[in-house]
């Protein structure tokens, strides 16, 4: 009964989305402008119905209703409750339902809270949002009904053990929220193109959505990276795998968009480019969904793939992207260019930022898709992996980060380059000190990691500079946000460079009682034991690690044997210290009865994810600052351009 | 006598330290080990979902790790070992694309994008600066 | 201000991308990595005998002017059970089949052959996958056709079925 209610709600939501689209388009005709009143209500009702459908699916998963095909295929009654809940979106149909539910909720919040836009632009935006939703409703209802029934199943097939992790409860929904947030930015762009309303007001309306989506993408990528790091059991945190790249591409586009929309909102420049980037960011989200769901590229992280359904997503992708880009081509000629700026200005720095981010995007995209292209065209099989991405995107990213150090120290519109050098003196000194320290410490660490560490020091020092000699309590929240996010970039880079420069690895075979060294640690295998888990049996190694004269720490890596479905996974034992992580993995028994233990000492590796969290937190501060600042600005009826720019040295140029 | 025999058998069965399974265990020379691991990071596991053999639990990946460590220990350079593997499995097995006319777009596309982007940006800048 | 060509470039690029994805979906990756040694002399290898009383297998054995099938199998490989019957029919038609057992043991191989029949001449034991990697093979079962001069003529990936017999016989004739 619950399943049928869900299906019914889904159909109703789909028809409301259709109504929302038709009403929205009709209301663009001046005589029918009164239709606009209805649209927000329809959008809210649609969101309620979609949420009901999702709640129904959640309910059948929680109660392990094995008469529902999806539950039978992906769940198991003996599974812990958190994975029953998370299992709702750990499969294709459920994740698509989650997608469309978040999309509908985003539409409803535009309808409820968005008051800054012109009314016709808002109606057009909601129509665009509905157009996207219809595609996904159709996809669910026609090609992947999550509520289909099945008879005669006693218990389910279970969830892939690799997915039975708290990460699943967290990682996909955040990424989806990010993707869907990008769809809001896309809808704003399409709406503004339809009503020819591209300007600062539109940019300010769009900005919180971009910020929100970008925060979610950042969290999603950071969390996903850490999840892979501790789950896959080989100490790697980024593999340049197609699915990872699929989440990185929208992030790169969103980061560029975030910066260009700031230029548009503050200086009324980069109009066409910002529109282009919103379309690009959403396109990348769709490409990401397509790559992950269609299984067109093989990946460690792809689960529940289905090429048949890939065609459907591809059709949606084609309609939205080509449709939006055609609209762009038709309308962008009538969008004027906006205000002028000098080459030495914050605007120019942000243009360079956008350019370099796009280059990194091109590199990631080329590396991900070129093997596919070559195979389709010439039948040649090649692989493009970490060596390509690191050597090509790495240097571009370093230049980008050096620019990131300088950019916030520039004034809007025009600045004196000599003054910039003055402002950069301190950070450059810090970077020079880092070089000296690294050389003195006897660093034979390779050119790229060295460059990374020095750049990280430069970025962190320079990002703090805008706060220099400033009343910290009167510094606006969004300036704090920028500072925290930029420092986060430096911190993350420091972690990456440190990991590749200083990580020590020792792969050993040990008999109980034996001791091996890794970095500053002595690790002893005390013994092995069997440990029952909720739905697996684990073989656990009892290891004790001792650093210098400190008390020994017990480390318990496991090999887990699951029965539904039958599969073996490794559970690494990770101990975090202030200056790094000790990472121990139990392998198989080797000849002679010894046990393989893989040991890594990774100095400062945690900075990678700490930096990611800081970037997201900085985004959150900015978002809070924007939302809080909105009210007085509106009350005073300030003309858009009088909004004070967040200048680096306190006063507007 | 019997005890002595048992001890002898045990001694024979125990793997000597020098004969540890190189698929899973580091080489004694850290420099060679670093070379071997760096190579393994760029060799694609032929039965997996796109992982390098340095991060795969598959049996064939372990076999390849063993071969790589042995060849590096015997004095071959990483590029010689890579060539040996590519001779058998084709370019697919190397995650580091070989520079050739077929793979040229991988490097040319970003350069082209940089040039195009810089061109558009500079035109706009100059126009604006006037 | 209008630069029509430039403005339509993104839309064109979007279309191309969709076309590429469509082509990729229509031709899904078969996950088959063929050996690039086909057409070349077989690699140097030497494996000990899998069964006592029967010879091991080395590359030198293949240059005596007789074409042979080299079958890579394992006692733990489920589809291999099905394939052994087909290989037996090939043997009845005079084909010389050499086996290489991967990650296996003498007792397991003996047991496997006792249960499913024994179409092999010599059987080598490759416990560390060396011969498999040397041939550029990616799994079990796989079958190589090797001509009388020791050149690899053909690689068959997966189970050999009765439908493959004529093709394999043709290749054997060619390899003489």
């Amino acid at each position: 009964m619950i399943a049928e209610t869900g299906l019914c709600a889904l159909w109703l939501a789909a028809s409301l989305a259709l109504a929302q689209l038709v009403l929205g388009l009709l209301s663009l005709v001046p005589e029918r402008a009164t239709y606009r009143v209805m649209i927000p209500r329809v959008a809210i009702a649609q969101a309620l119905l979609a949420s009901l459908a999702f709640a129904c699916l959640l309910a059948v998963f929680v109660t392990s209703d094995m008469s529902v095909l999806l539950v039978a295929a992906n769940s198991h009654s003996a599974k812990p409750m958190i994975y029953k809940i998370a299992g709702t979106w750990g499969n294709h149909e459920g994740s698509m339902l989650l997608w469309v539910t978040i999309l509908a909720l985003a539409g409803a919040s535009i309808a409820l809270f968005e008051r800054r836009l012109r009314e016709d632009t808002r109606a057009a935006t909601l129509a665009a949002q509905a157009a996207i939703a219809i595609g996904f409703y159709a996809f669910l209802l026609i090609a992947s009904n999550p509520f289909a029934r099945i008879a005669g199943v006693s218990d389910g097939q279970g969830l892939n053990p690799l997915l039975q992790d708290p990460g699943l409860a967290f990682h996909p929904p955040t990424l989806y929220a990010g993707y869907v947030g990008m769809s809001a930015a896309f809808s704003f762009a399409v709406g503004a193109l339809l009503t020819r309303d591209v300007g600062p007001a539109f940019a300010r309306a769009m900005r919180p959505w971009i910020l929100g989506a970008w925060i979610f993408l950042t969290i999603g990528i950071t969390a996903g990276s850490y999840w892979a790091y501790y789950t896959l059991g080989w100490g790697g945190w980024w593999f340049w795998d197609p699915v990872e790249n699929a989440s990185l591409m929208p992030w790169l586009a969103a980061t560029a968009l975030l910066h260009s929309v700031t230029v548009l909102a503050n200086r009324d420049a980069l109009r066409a480019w910002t529109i282009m980037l919103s379309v690009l960011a959403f396109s990348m989200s769709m490409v990401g969904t397509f790559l992950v769901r269609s299984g067109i590229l093989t990946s460690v992280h792809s689960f529940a793939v289905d090429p048949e359904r890939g065609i459907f997503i591809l059709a949606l992708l084609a309609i939205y992207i080509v449709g939006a880009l055609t609209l762009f081509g038709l309308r962008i000629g009538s969008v004027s260019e906006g205000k002028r700026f000098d080459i030495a200005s914050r605007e120019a720095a942000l243009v360079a930022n956008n350019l370099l981010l796009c280059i990194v995007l091109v590199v990631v995209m080329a590396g991900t898709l070129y093997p596919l292209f070559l195979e389709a065209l010439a039948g040649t099989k090649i692989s493009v992996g970490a060596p390509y991405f690191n050597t090509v995107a790495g240097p571009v990213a370093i230049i980008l980060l050096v620019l990131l150090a300088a950019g916030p120290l520039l004034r809007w519109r025009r600045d004196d380059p000599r003054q910039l050098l003055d402002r950069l003196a301190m950070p450059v000194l810090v970077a020079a000190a880092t070089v000296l320290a690294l050389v003195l410490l006897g660093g034979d660490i390779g050119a790229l990691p060295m460059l990374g560490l020095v750049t990280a020091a430069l970025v962190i020092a320079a990002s703090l500079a805008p706060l220099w000699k400033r009343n910290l309590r009167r510094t606006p929240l969004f300036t704090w946000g920028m500072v925290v996010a930029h420092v986060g970039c430096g911190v993350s880079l420091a972690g990456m460079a440190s990991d590749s420069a200083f990580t020590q690895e020792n792969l050993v075979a040990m008999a109980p009682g034996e001791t091996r060294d890794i970095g500053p640690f002595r690790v002893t295998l005390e013994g092995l034991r069997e440990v029952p888990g909720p739905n697996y049996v684990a073989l656990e190694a009892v290891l004790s690690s001792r650093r210098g004269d400190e008390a020994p720490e017990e480390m318990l890596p496991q090999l887990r044997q699951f029965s539904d479905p039958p599969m073996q996974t490794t559970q690494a034992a990770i101990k975090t210290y202030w200056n790094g992580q000790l990472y121990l993995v139990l392998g198989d028994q080797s000849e002679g009865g010894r046990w393989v233990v893989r040991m890594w000492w990774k100095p400062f590796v945690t900075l990678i994810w700490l930096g990611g969290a800081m970037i997201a937190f900085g985004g959150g501060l900015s978002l809070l600052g924007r939302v809080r600042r909105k009210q007085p600005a509106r009350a005073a009826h300030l003309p858009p351009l009088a909004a004070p720019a967040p200048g680096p040295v306190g006063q507007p140029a | 006598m019997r005890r002595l025999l048992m001890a002898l058998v045990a001694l024979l069965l125990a793997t000597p330290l020098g004969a540890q399974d190189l698929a899973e265990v580091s080489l004694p020379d850290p420099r060679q080990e670093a070379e071997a691991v760096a190579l393994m990071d760029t060799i694609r596991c032929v039965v997996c979902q796109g992982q390098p053999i340095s991060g795969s639990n598959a049996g064939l990946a372990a076999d390849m790790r063993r071969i790589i460590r042995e060849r590096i220990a015997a004095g071959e350079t990483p590029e010689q070992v890579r060539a040996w593997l590519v001779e058998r499995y084709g370019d697919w097995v190397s995650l580091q694309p070989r520079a050739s006319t077929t793979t040229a777009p991988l490097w040319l596309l970003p350069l082209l994008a940089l040039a195009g982007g810089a061109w558009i940006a500079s035109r706009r800048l100059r126009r604006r600066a006037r | 201000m209008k630069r029509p060509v430039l403005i339509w470039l993104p839309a064109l690029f979007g279309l191309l991308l969709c076309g590429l994805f469509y082509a990729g979906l229509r031709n899904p990756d078969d996950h088959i990595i063929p050996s690039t040694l086909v057409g070349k002399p077989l690699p140097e290898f030497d494996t000990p005998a899998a069964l006592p009383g029967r010879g091991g297998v080395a590359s030198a054995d293949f240059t005596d002017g007789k074409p042979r099938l080299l079958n890579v199998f394992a006692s733990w490989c489920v589809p291999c059970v099905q394939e052994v019957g087909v290989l037996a029919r090939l043997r009845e038609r005079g084909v010389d089949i050499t086996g290489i057992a991967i990650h296996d043991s003498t007792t397991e191989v003996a047991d496997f052959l006792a249960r499913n029949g024994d179409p092999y001449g010599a059987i080598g034991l490759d416990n560390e996958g060396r011969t498999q990697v040397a041939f550029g093979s990616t799994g079990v079962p796989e079958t190589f056709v090797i001509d009388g001069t020791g050149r690899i003529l053909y690689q068959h990936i997966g189970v050999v079925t009765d439908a493959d017999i004529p093709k394999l016989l043709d290749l054997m004739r060619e390899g003489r």
Side-chain angles (χ1 to χ4, degrees):
Chain A
M1 196 51 217
I2 298 176
E4 281 68 32
T5 311
L7 188 59
C8 185
L10 203 56
W11 274 106
L12 285 174
S15 33
L16 282 182
L18 189 63
Q20 187 179 329
L21 173 65
V22 173
L23 282 172
L25 289 180
L26 285 177
S27 76
L28 290 179
V29 183
E31 301 90 72
R32 296 206 179 81
T34 47
Y35 288 8
R36 280 180 213 150
V37 192
M38 315 256 293
I39 296 166
R41 293 172 205 169
V42 178
I44 292 163
Q46 183 214 329
L48 289 175
L49 284 164
S51 311
L52 176 63
F54 188 73
C56 288
L57 190 65
L58 204 59
V60 293
F61 265 89
V62 167
T63 56
S64 293
D65 182 351
M66 293 301 162
S67 69
V68 174
L69 176 62
L70 195 62
V71 182
N74 294 289
S75 196
H76 192 275
S77 55
K79 207 164 62 168
M81 180 51 76
I82 177 177
Y83 302 131
K84 285 186 185 172
I85 296 174
T88 313
W89 53 79
N91 56 74
H92 167 78
E93 287 84 351
S95 66
M96 283 293 127
L97 184 57
L98 178 67
W99 218 110
V100 81
T101 306
I102 302 178
L103 185 69
L105 287 172
S109 26
I110 294 175
L112 275 172
F113 305 118
E114 189 47 68
R115 296 279 175 275
R116 278 164 299 186
L117 272 183
R118 257 169 43 193
E119 247 189 75
D120 56 338
T121 311
R122 186 168 66 135
T125 301
L126 284 172
Q129 192 80 348
I132 299 170
I134 289 167
F136 283 91
Y137 284 124
F139 183 35
L140 278 163
L141 291 168
I142 297 167
S144 35
N145 175 11
F147 297 106
R149 292 280 191 179
I150 187 171
V153 175
S154 58
D155 210 336
Q157 296 170 0
L159 178 70
N160 185 328
L162 278 178
L163 293 179
Q164 296 192 23
D165 186 282
L168 177 66
F170 197 60
H171 171 66
T174 31
L175 267 188
Y176 279 175
Y179 285 179
V180 171
M182 285 294 114
S183 86
F186 173 84
S187 302
F188 276 108
V190 170
L193 277 176
L194 282 172
T195 58
R196 296 189 170 85
D197 178 24
V198 183
F202 148 80
R204 270 184 226 120
M206 184 160 86
R207 182 158 57 183
W209 288 97
I210 299 170
L211 251 175
W214 177 80
I215 293 167
F216 276 118
L217 284 179
T218 309
I219 296 175
I221 293 173
T222 308
S225 159
Y226 193 66
W227 184 14
Y229 169 75
Y230 71 72
T231 307
L232 293 180
W234 292 90
W237 51 272
W238 190 265
F239 305 88
W240 293 108
D241 174 276
V243 164
E244 290 164 3
N245 296 349
S247 69
L248 185 62
M249 290 192 288
W251 186 86
L252 290 166
T255 310
L257 176 60
L258 186 64
H259 290 89
S260 85
V261 83
T262 303
V263 176
L264 180 54
N266 286 334
R267 303 298 313 165
D268 194 15
L270 303 182
R271 286 178 171 182
W273 175 239
T274 302
I275 295 280
M276 184 68 235
L277 273 182
S278 355
V279 177
L280 183 72
F282 177 62
S283 308
M284 288 302 128
S285 305
M286 286 290 293
V287 167
T289 311
F290 170 75
L291 290 180
V292 176
R293 287 287 149 213
S294 68
I296 192 170
L297 297 165
T298 42
S299 152
V300 208
H301 315 288
S302 52
F303 301 96
V305 300
D306 185 346
E308 289 300 309
R309 287 167 180 156
I311 290 278
F312 212 116
I313 306 183
L314 180 58
L316 295 180
L317 182 108
I319 294 168
Y320 299 142
I321 298 182
V322 178
L325 290 173
T326 309
L327 185 67
F328 177 84
L330 288 173
R331 283 288 164 89
I332 207 64
S334 61
V335 173
S336 69
E337 265 188 58
K339 292 278 185 298
R340 299 172 172 191
F341 51 82
D342 201 72
I343 184 140
S345 66
R346 173 121 31 127
E347 287 96 321
L350 287 170
V351 167
N353 144 307
N354 271 226
L355 180 60
L356 291 173
L357 278 168
C358 288
I359 300 301
V360 177
L361 178 60
V362 168
V363 171
V364 175
M365 213 163 147
T368 311
L369 297 179
Y370 193 66
L372 184 70
F373 175 78
L374 213 56
E375 170 133 33
L377 220 71
T380 319
K381 283 185 198 227
I382 65 159
S383 298
V384 178
Y388 168 77
F389 292 108
N390 289 341
T391 51
V392 182
V396 183
I398 295 274
I399 300 172
L400 179 64
L401 283 157
V402 171
L403 192 74
L404 180 154
L409 299 173
L410 281 163
R411 292 169 208 262
W412 291 106
R413 220 159 56 123
R414 86 186 298 171
D415 201 347
D416 185 353
R418 270 167 303 175
Q419 282 191 19
L420 173 68
L421 290 183
D422 285 352
R423 288 177 215 136
L424 268 175
M426 196 62 152
V428 169
L429 222 61
V430 171
T434 315
V435 178
L436 202 67
L438 284 172
V439 171
L440 284 181
L441 278 171
D444 174 26
I445 59 174
L448 207 57
M450 177 83 154
L451 198 59
L453 284 170
V454 174
T455 312
L458 178 76
V459 165
I460 295 172
S463 299
L464 288 170
L467 297 178
W468 188 248
K469 287 183 187 164
R470 199 167 166 167
N471 184 342
L472 293 186
R473 292 183 56 190
R474 288 189 57 197
T475 306
L477 215 46
F478 49 75
T479 306
W480 274 108
M482 178 190 76
V483 168
V484 171
H486 284 181
V487 170
C489 291
V491 169
S492 198
L493 176 66
M496 297 173 196
S498 169
D499 180 45
S500 62
F502 305 120
T503 288
Q504 297 186 36
E505 178 183 76
N506 197 7
L507 313 176
V508 299
M510 298 166 93
E514 287 186 332
T515 300
R516 296 282 188 276
D517 289 344
I518 174 68
F521 295 89
R522 295 185 71 83
V523 178
T524 309
L525 177 61
E526 307 286 356
L528 291 116
R529 61 187 182 207
E530 224 167 64
V531 183
N535 53 345
Y536 58 83
V537 180
L539 179 70
E540 188 172 81
V542 182
L543 294 155
S544 74
S545 68
R546 181 195 284 268
R547 175 160 66 170
D549 301 328
E550 290 169 26
E553 296 273 356
E554 194 171 62
M555 304 278 285
L556 305 168
Q558 294 185 335
L559 273 178
R560 291 182 179 172
Q561 187 63 49
F562 287 80
S563 50
D564 300 300
M567 192 172 168
Q568 198 186 49
T569 68
T570 55
Q571 188 76 10
I574 301 175
K575 175 90 189 148
T576 307
Y577 295 84
W578 70 271
N579 61 343
Q581 280 187 330
L582 179 64
Y583 187 116
L584 302 180
V585 180
L586 176 63
D588 288 327
Q589 195 164 22
S590 73
E591 293 153 49
R594 287 196 170 88
W595 290 88
V596 169
V597 179
R598 305 197 288 265
M599 315 196 288
W600 284 275
W601 165 239
K602 295 177 160 287
F604 298 108
V605 69
T606 33
L607 292 184
I608 297 172
W609 307 289
L610 179 70
M614 283 175 76
I615 296 172
F617 181 68
L621 286 181
S622 283
L623 186 59
L624 206 66
R626 296 292 172 204
V627 173
R628 271 184 29 187
R629 207 172 67 110
K630 197 167 75 187
Q631 269 61 17
R634 192 156 50 103
H637 289 289
L638 288 172
L641 278 181
V649 271
Q651 56 280 73
Chain B
M1 182 62 207
R2 203 190 150 109
R3 246 213 188 136
L4 194 75
L5 206 72
M6 290 278 281
L8 206 70
V9 168
L11 202 71
L12 280 173
L13 280 178
T15 334
L17 211 70
Q20 280 188 345
D21 183 2
L22 290 178
E24 306 291 349
V25 173
S26 305
L27 285 170
D29 179 350
R31 186 159 225 121
Q32 286 185 337
E33 173 67 15
E35 275 185 1
V37 169
L39 175 63
M40 289 176 210
D41 281 339
T42 67
I43 296 297
R44 188 167 179 176
C45 165
V46 289
V47 289
C48 320
Q49 304 277 301
Q51 291 129 295
I53 55 169
S54 59
S56 165
N57 297 320
L60 196 51
D63 292 339
M64 286 193 179
R65 289 198 294 269
R66 185 184 302 113
I67 290 171
I68 286 178
R69 283 209 177 88
E70 282 172 0
R71 287 182 170 255
I72 296 281
E76 282 186 42
T77 67
E79 286 317 302
Q80 282 170 330
V81 183
R82 184 196 305 281
W84 187 84
L85 284 166
V86 167
E87 195 189 337
R88 276 145 183 83
Y89 292 101
D91 283 334
W92 188 92
V93 79
S94 169
L95 286 166
Q96 182 173 335
R98 185 209 301 260
S100 71
T101 44
T102 39
T103 58
L106 279 174
W107 289 274
L108 290 182
L109 270 177
L111 278 178
L112 207 71
L114 182 67
W119 180 69
I120 294 176
S122 70
R123 279 182 61 112
R124 303 230 149 166
L125 264 182
R126 246 183 275 133
R127 192 181 303 179
R128 273 170 188 159
R130 233 187 282 138
Chain C
M1 150 83 224
K2 273 201 168 176
R3 261 195 304 277
V5 183
L6 217 60
I7 278 168
W8 291 103
L9 216 61
L12 183 72
F13 182 71
L15 264 179
L16 282 178
L17 197 65
C18 292
L20 169 66
F21 286 155
Y22 185 69
L25 275 182
R26 289 296 300 274
N27 271 322
D29 189 2
D30 48 12
H31 299 281
I32 291 174
I33 319 301
S35 169
T36 37
L37 284 183
V38 175
K40 294 182 188 157
L42 85 173
E44 281 295 318
F45 71 99
D46 191 0
T47 53
L51 299 175
R54 257 206 255 185
V57 184
S59 28
D61 305 345
F62 290 83
T63 47
D64 58 358
K66 253 177 76 180
R68 280 190 178 79
L69 281 192
L70 182 81
N71 179 244
V72 181
F73 75 105
S75 66
W76 43 264
C77 146
V78 181
C80 295
V81 175
Q82 185 194 337
E83 190 184 51
V84 167
V86 184
L87 294 180
R89 282 190 278 289
L90 272 166
R91 188 176 180 86
E92 280 161 23
R93 309 194 42 179
V95 176
D96 193 336
I97 303 172
T98 305
I100 302 274
I102 305 292
H103 289 280
D104 226 318
S105 74
T106 301
T107 46
E108 297 279 329
V109 171
D111 193 42
F112 174 83
L113 297 179
R115 262 184 294 122
N116 304 302
D118 181 358
Y120 300 106
I123 304 178
L125 186 62
D126 180 21
N127 259 341
E128 294 182 324
R130 284 170 202 285
T131 312
Q132 184 162 39
V133 174
F135 271 84
S137 149
T138 52
V140 281
E142 268 183 36
T143 307
F144 293 86
V145 180
I146 294 160
D147 75 4
T149 63
R151 217 160 50 90
I152 302 176
L153 285 186
Y154 178 70
Q155 178 195 27
H156 182 96
I157 295 176
V159 176
V160 174
T161 61
D162 282 317
D164 299 316
I165 289 182
K167 168 150 203 189
L168 289 175
L169 287 176
D170 280 349
L171 282 159
M172 294 297 287
R173 236 167 275 131
E174 191 186 312
R176 219 169 273 147

